[in-house]
PDB file of all heavy atoms in Angstrom:
ATOM      1  N   ALA A 264     272.060 210.239  42.881  1.00 97.00           N
ATOM      2  CA  ALA A 264     273.514 210.377  42.682  1.00 97.00           C
ATOM      3  C   ALA A 264     273.952 210.081  41.256  1.00 97.00           C
ATOM      4  O   ALA A 264     274.989 210.557  40.802  1.00 97.00           O
ATOM      5  CB  ALA A 264     274.233 209.462  43.671  1.00 97.00           C
ATOM      6  N   GLU A 265     273.157 209.291  40.542  1.00 96.00           N
ATOM      7  CA  GLU A 265     273.520 208.861  39.193  1.00 96.00           C
ATOM      8  C   GLU A 265     272.864 209.742  38.099  1.00 96.00           C
ATOM      9  O   GLU A 265     273.476 209.998  37.079  1.00 96.00           O
ATOM     10  CB  GLU A 265     273.106 207.428  38.971  1.00 96.00           C
ATOM     11  CG  GLU A 265     273.805 206.425  39.893  1.00 96.00           C
ATOM     12  CD  GLU A 265     273.220 205.016  39.794  1.00 96.00           C
ATOM     13  OE1 GLU A 265     272.237 204.860  39.042  1.00 96.00           O
ATOM     14  OE2 GLU A 265     273.718 204.121  40.488  1.00 96.00           O
ATOM     15  N   ARG A 266     271.638 210.159  38.358  1.00 96.00           N
ATOM     16  CA  ARG A 266     270.885 210.894  37.323  1.00 96.00           C
ATOM     17  C   ARG A 266     271.430 212.319  37.215  1.00 96.00           C
ATOM     18  O   ARG A 266     271.553 213.031  38.201  1.00 96.00           O
ATOM     19  CB  ARG A 266     269.408 210.941  37.749  1.00 96.00           C
ATOM     20  CG  ARG A 266     268.520 211.789  36.852  1.00 96.00           C
ATOM     21  CD  ARG A 266     268.388 211.203  35.475  1.00 96.00           C
ATOM     22  NE  ARG A 266     267.324 211.878  34.729  1.00 96.00           N
ATOM     23  CZ  ARG A 266     267.115 211.716  33.434  1.00 96.00           C
ATOM     24  NH1 ARG A 266     267.888 210.893  32.756  1.00 96.00           N
ATOM     25  NH2 ARG A 266     266.125 212.352  32.826  1.00 96.00           N
ATOM     26  N   LYS A 267     271.752 212.700  35.963  1.00 95.00           N
ATOM     27  CA  LYS A 267     272.306 214.032  35.733  1.00 95.00           C
ATOM     28  C   LYS A 267     271.330 214.888  34.942  1.00 95.00           C
ATOM     29  O   LYS A 267     270.708 214.438  33.991  1.00 95.00           O
ATOM     30  CB  LYS A 267     273.629 213.935  35.011  1.00 95.00           C
ATOM     31  CG  LYS A 267     274.769 213.364  35.834  1.00 95.00           C
ATOM     32  CD  LYS A 267     276.079 213.364  35.079  1.00 95.00           C
ATOM     33  CE  LYS A 267     277.207 212.812  35.956  1.00 95.00           C
ATOM     34  NZ  LYS A 267     278.520 212.812  35.227  1.00 95.00           N
ATOM     35  N   GLN A 268     271.226 216.109  35.362  1.00 95.00           N
ATOM     36  CA  GLN A 268     270.475 217.132  34.632  1.00 95.00           C
ATOM     37  C   GLN A 268     271.231 218.445  34.729  1.00 95.00           C
ATOM     38  O   GLN A 268     271.830 218.742  35.777  1.00 95.00           O
ATOM     39  CB  GLN A 268     269.065 217.295  35.199  1.00 95.00           C
ATOM     40  CG  GLN A 268     268.139 216.112  34.912  1.00 95.00           C
ATOM     41  CD  GLN A 268     267.719 216.030  33.471  1.00 95.00           C
ATOM     42  OE1 GLN A 268     266.842 216.748  32.998  1.00 95.00           O
ATOM     43  NE2 GLN A 268     268.355 215.127  32.717  1.00 95.00           N
ATOM     44  N   PHE A 269     271.241 219.203  33.647  1.00 95.00           N
ATOM     45  CA  PHE A 269     271.936 220.484  33.635  1.00 95.00           C
ATOM     46  C   PHE A 269     273.404 220.312  34.024  1.00 95.00           C
ATOM     47  O   PHE A 269     273.997 221.171  34.711  1.00 95.00           O
ATOM     48  CB  PHE A 269     271.221 221.510  34.525  1.00 95.00           C
ATOM     49  CG  PHE A 269     269.785 221.688  34.203  1.00 95.00           C
ATOM     50  CD1 PHE A 269     268.807 221.090  34.982  1.00 95.00           C
ATOM     51  CD2 PHE A 269     269.397 222.430  33.096  1.00 95.00           C
ATOM     52  CE1 PHE A 269     267.470 221.254  34.666  1.00 95.00           C
ATOM     53  CE2 PHE A 269     268.054 222.600  32.781  1.00 95.00           C
ATOM     54  CZ  PHE A 269     267.075 222.002  33.578  1.00 95.00           C
ATOM     55  N   GLY A 270     273.982 219.192  33.626  1.00 95.00           N
ATOM     56  CA  GLY A 270     275.401 219.002  33.816  1.00 95.00           C
ATOM     57  C   GLY A 270     275.871 218.500  35.160  1.00 95.00           C
ATOM     58  O   GLY A 270     277.086 218.425  35.402  1.00 95.00           O
ATOM     59  N   LYS A 271     274.943 218.117  36.074  1.00 96.00           N
ATOM     60  CA  LYS A 271     275.388 217.611  37.366  1.00 96.00           C
ATOM     61  C   LYS A 271     274.334 216.668  37.935  1.00 96.00           C
ATOM     62  O   LYS A 271     273.170 216.717  37.552  1.00 96.00           O
ATOM     63  CB  LYS A 271     275.651 218.766  38.327  1.00 96.00           C
ATOM     64  CG  LYS A 271     274.453 219.682  38.577  1.00 96.00           C
ATOM     65  CD  LYS A 271     274.856 220.860  39.480  1.00 96.00           C
ATOM     66  CE  LYS A 271     273.686 221.812  39.705  1.00 96.00           C
ATOM     67  NZ  LYS A 271     274.091 222.971  40.538  1.00 96.00           N
ATOM     68  N   PRO A 272     274.759 215.777  38.871  1.00 97.00           N
ATOM     69  CA  PRO A 272     273.807 214.880  39.478  1.00 97.00           C
ATOM     70  C   PRO A 272     272.673 215.662  40.178  1.00 97.00           C
ATOM     71  O   PRO A 272     272.912 216.725  40.751  1.00 97.00           O
ATOM     72  CB  PRO A 272     274.647 214.126  40.520  1.00 97.00           C
ATOM     73  CG  PRO A 272     276.049 214.249  40.044  1.00 97.00           C
ATOM     74  CD  PRO A 272     276.128 215.595  39.388  1.00 97.00           C
ATOM     75  N   ILE A 273     271.476 215.085  40.127  1.00 97.00           N
ATOM     76  CA  ILE A 273     270.342 215.834  40.691  1.00 97.00           C
ATOM     77  C   ILE A 273     270.420 215.954  42.202  1.00 97.00           C
ATOM     78  O   ILE A 273     269.726 216.790  42.784  1.00 97.00           O
ATOM     79  CB  ILE A 273     268.980 215.242  40.268  1.00 97.00           C
ATOM     80  CG1 ILE A 273     268.822 213.798  40.779  1.00 97.00           C
ATOM     81  CG2 ILE A 273     268.828 215.299  38.735  1.00 97.00           C
ATOM     82  CD1 ILE A 273     267.429 213.248  40.517  1.00 97.00           C
ATOM     83  N   ASN A 274     271.248 215.138  42.857  1.00 97.00           N
ATOM     84  CA  ASN A 274     271.367 215.303  44.314  1.00 97.00           C
ATOM     85  C   ASN A 274     272.165 216.528  44.690  1.00 97.00           C
ATOM     86  O   ASN A 274     272.337 216.839  45.899  1.00 97.00           O
ATOM     87  CB  ASN A 274     271.975 214.042  44.934  1.00 97.00           C
ATOM     88  CG  ASN A 274     273.423 213.780  44.569  1.00 97.00           C
ATOM     89  OD1 ASN A 274     274.019 214.535  43.764  1.00 97.00           O
ATOM     90  ND2 ASN A 274     273.971 212.706  45.097  1.00 97.00           N
ATOM     91  N   ARG A 275     272.659 217.247  43.704  1.00 96.00           N
ATOM     92  CA  ARG A 275     273.347 218.526  43.969  1.00 96.00           C
ATOM     93  C   ARG A 275     272.346 219.686  44.006  1.00 96.00           C
ATOM     94  O   ARG A 275     272.738 220.800  44.397  1.00 96.00           O
ATOM     95  CB  ARG A 275     274.384 218.788  42.858  1.00 96.00           C
ATOM     96  CG  ARG A 275     275.476 217.733  42.760  1.00 96.00           C
ATOM     97  CD  ARG A 275     276.566 217.968  43.738  1.00 96.00           C
ATOM     98  NE  ARG A 275     277.248 219.234  43.501  1.00 96.00           N
ATOM     99  CZ  ARG A 275     278.202 219.420  42.555  1.00 96.00           C
ATOM    100  NH1 ARG A 275     278.575 218.401  41.814  1.00 96.00           N
ATOM    101  NH2 ARG A 275     278.735 220.609  42.410  1.00 96.00           N
ATOM    102  N   PHE A 276     271.129 219.419  43.622  1.00 97.00           N
ATOM    103  CA  PHE A 276     270.106 220.472  43.612  1.00 97.00           C
ATOM    104  C   PHE A 276     269.414 220.517  44.987  1.00 97.00           C
ATOM    105  O   PHE A 276     269.046 219.487  45.551  1.00 97.00           O
ATOM    106  CB  PHE A 276     269.054 220.248  42.533  1.00 97.00           C
ATOM    107  CG  PHE A 276     269.615 220.361  41.137  1.00 97.00           C
ATOM    108  CD1 PHE A 276     269.922 219.252  40.396  1.00 97.00           C
ATOM    109  CD2 PHE A 276     269.869 221.624  40.582  1.00 97.00           C
ATOM    110  CE1 PHE A 276     270.432 219.343  39.103  1.00 97.00           C
ATOM    111  CE2 PHE A 276     270.406 221.732  39.293  1.00 97.00           C
ATOM    112  CZ  PHE A 276     270.695 220.595  38.555  1.00 97.00           C
ATOM    113  N   GLN A 277     269.222 221.711  45.496  1.00 97.00           N
ATOM    114  CA  GLN A 277     268.651 221.876  46.817  1.00 97.00           C
ATOM    115  C   GLN A 277     267.262 221.296  46.949  1.00 97.00           C
ATOM    116  O   GLN A 277     266.890 220.723  48.005  1.00 97.00           O
ATOM    117  CB  GLN A 277     268.633 223.368  47.230  1.00 97.00           C
ATOM    118  CG  GLN A 277     268.330 223.600  48.694  1.00 97.00           C
ATOM    119  CD  GLN A 277     268.437 225.054  49.055  1.00 97.00           C
ATOM    120  OE1 GLN A 277     267.947 225.933  48.348  1.00 97.00           O
ATOM    121  NE2 GLN A 277     269.120 225.330  50.152  1.00 97.00           N
ATOM    122  N   ALA A 278     266.471 221.377  45.936  1.00 97.00           N
ATOM    123  CA  ALA A 278     265.102 220.822  45.996  1.00 97.00           C
ATOM    124  C   ALA A 278     265.140 219.323  46.252  1.00 97.00           C
ATOM    125  O   ALA A 278     264.352 218.811  47.070  1.00 97.00           O
ATOM    126  CB  ALA A 278     264.375 221.119  44.677  1.00 97.00           C
ATOM    127  N   ILE A 279     266.057 218.609  45.603  1.00 98.00           N
ATOM    128  CA  ILE A 279     266.171 217.169  45.826  1.00 98.00           C
ATOM    129  C   ILE A 279     266.775 216.898  47.193  1.00 98.00           C
ATOM    130  O   ILE A 279     266.336 215.964  47.890  1.00 98.00           O
ATOM    131  CB  ILE A 279     267.032 216.515  44.712  1.00 98.00           C
ATOM    132  CG1 ILE A 279     266.369 216.734  43.345  1.00 98.00           C
ATOM    133  CG2 ILE A 279     267.243 215.043  45.010  1.00 98.00           C
ATOM    134  CD1 ILE A 279     265.030 216.060  43.199  1.00 98.00           C
ATOM    135  N   GLN A 280     267.765 217.676  47.584  1.00 98.00           N
ATOM    136  CA  GLN A 280     268.349 217.511  48.910  1.00 98.00           C
ATOM    137  C   GLN A 280     267.330 217.663  50.030  1.00 98.00           C
ATOM    138  O   GLN A 280     267.295 216.886  50.980  1.00 98.00           O
ATOM    139  CB  GLN A 280     269.498 218.506  49.101  1.00 98.00           C
ATOM    140  CG  GLN A 280     270.689 218.294  48.196  1.00 98.00           C
ATOM    141  CD  GLN A 280     271.698 219.414  48.266  1.00 98.00           C
ATOM    142  OE1 GLN A 280     271.409 220.494  48.839  1.00 98.00           O
ATOM    143  NE2 GLN A 280     272.884 219.201  47.703  1.00 98.00           N
ATOM    144  N   ASN A 281     266.482 218.677  49.915  1.00 98.00           N
ATOM    145  CA  ASN A 281     265.442 218.922  50.911  1.00 98.00           C
ATOM    146  C   ASN A 281     264.469 217.732  50.962  1.00 98.00           C
ATOM    147  O   ASN A 281     264.064 217.320  52.059  1.00 98.00           O
ATOM    148  CB  ASN A 281     264.679 220.204  50.598  1.00 98.00           C
ATOM    149  CG  ASN A 281     265.490 221.437  50.867  1.00 98.00           C
ATOM    150  OD1 ASN A 281     266.539 221.383  51.556  1.00 98.00           O
ATOM    151  ND2 ASN A 281     265.055 222.577  50.358  1.00 98.00           N
ATOM    152  N   ARG A 282     264.125 217.249  49.773  1.00 98.00           N
ATOM    153  CA  ARG A 282     263.180 216.142  49.728  1.00 98.00           C
ATOM    154  C   ARG A 282     263.779 214.885  50.414  1.00 98.00           C
ATOM    155  O   ARG A 282     263.133 214.204  51.190  1.00 98.00           O
ATOM    156  CB  ARG A 282     262.816 215.855  48.280  1.00 98.00           C
ATOM    157  CG  ARG A 282     261.772 214.792  48.082  1.00 98.00           C
ATOM    158  CD  ARG A 282     261.195 214.877  46.688  1.00 98.00           C
ATOM    159  NE  ARG A 282     260.246 215.993  46.569  1.00 98.00           N
ATOM    160  CZ  ARG A 282     259.678 216.367  45.424  1.00 98.00           C
ATOM    161  NH1 ARG A 282     259.959 215.736  44.308  1.00 98.00           N
ATOM    162  NH2 ARG A 282     258.844 217.382  45.416  1.00 98.00           N
ATOM    163  N   LEU A 283     265.021 214.574  50.105  1.00 98.00           N
ATOM    164  CA  LEU A 283     265.688 213.441  50.695  1.00 98.00           C
ATOM    165  C   LEU A 283     265.826 213.583  52.212  1.00 98.00           C
ATOM    166  O   LEU A 283     265.643 212.633  52.972  1.00 98.00           O
ATOM    167  CB  LEU A 283     267.068 213.230  50.065  1.00 98.00           C
ATOM    168  CG  LEU A 283     267.053 212.765  48.617  1.00 98.00           C
ATOM    169  CD1 LEU A 283     268.463 212.874  48.013  1.00 98.00           C
ATOM    170  CD2 LEU A 283     266.577 211.310  48.510  1.00 98.00           C
ATOM    171  N   ALA A 284     266.144 214.802  52.639  1.00 98.00           N
ATOM    172  CA  ALA A 284     266.287 215.047  54.079  1.00 98.00           C
ATOM    173  C   ALA A 284     264.982 214.823  54.821  1.00 98.00           C
ATOM    174  O   ALA A 284     264.963 214.229  55.896  1.00 98.00           O
ATOM    175  CB  ALA A 284     266.805 216.482  54.319  1.00 98.00           C
ATOM    176  N   ASP A 285     263.878 215.317  54.239  1.00 98.00           N
ATOM    177  CA  ASP A 285     262.568 215.130  54.871  1.00 98.00           C
ATOM    178  C   ASP A 285     262.194 213.654  54.900  1.00 98.00           C
ATOM    179  O   ASP A 285     261.610 213.173  55.875  1.00 98.00           O
ATOM    180  CB  ASP A 285     261.529 215.947  54.109  1.00 98.00           C
ATOM    181  CG  ASP A 285     261.629 217.430  54.337  1.00 98.00           C
ATOM    182  OD1 ASP A 285     262.284 217.825  55.324  1.00 98.00           O
ATOM    183  OD2 ASP A 285     261.037 218.204  53.567  1.00 98.00           O
ATOM    184  N   MET A 286     262.481 212.928  53.837  1.00 98.00           N
ATOM    185  CA  MET A 286     262.159 211.505  53.802  1.00 98.00           C
ATOM    186  C   MET A 286     262.915 210.761  54.908  1.00 98.00           C
ATOM    187  O   MET A 286     262.316 209.933  55.657  1.00 98.00           O
ATOM    188  CB  MET A 286     262.543 210.928  52.434  1.00 98.00           C
ATOM    189  CG  MET A 286     261.699 211.432  51.274  1.00 98.00           C
ATOM    190  SD  MET A 286     262.461 211.166  49.633  1.00 98.00           S
ATOM    191  CE  MET A 286     262.424 209.368  49.510  1.00 98.00           C
TER     192      MET A 286
END
Side-chain angles (χ1 to χ4, degrees):
E265 297 171 358
R266 174 67 169 169
K267 290 184 178 180
Q268 289 289 281
F269 305 102
K271 58 184 178 182
I273 62 173
N274 67 359
R275 299 277 298 278
F276 294 102
Q277 191 174 47
I279 298 297
Q280 293 172 348
N281 288 345
R282 184 164 284 174
L283 291 168
D285 286 344
M286 292 162 68

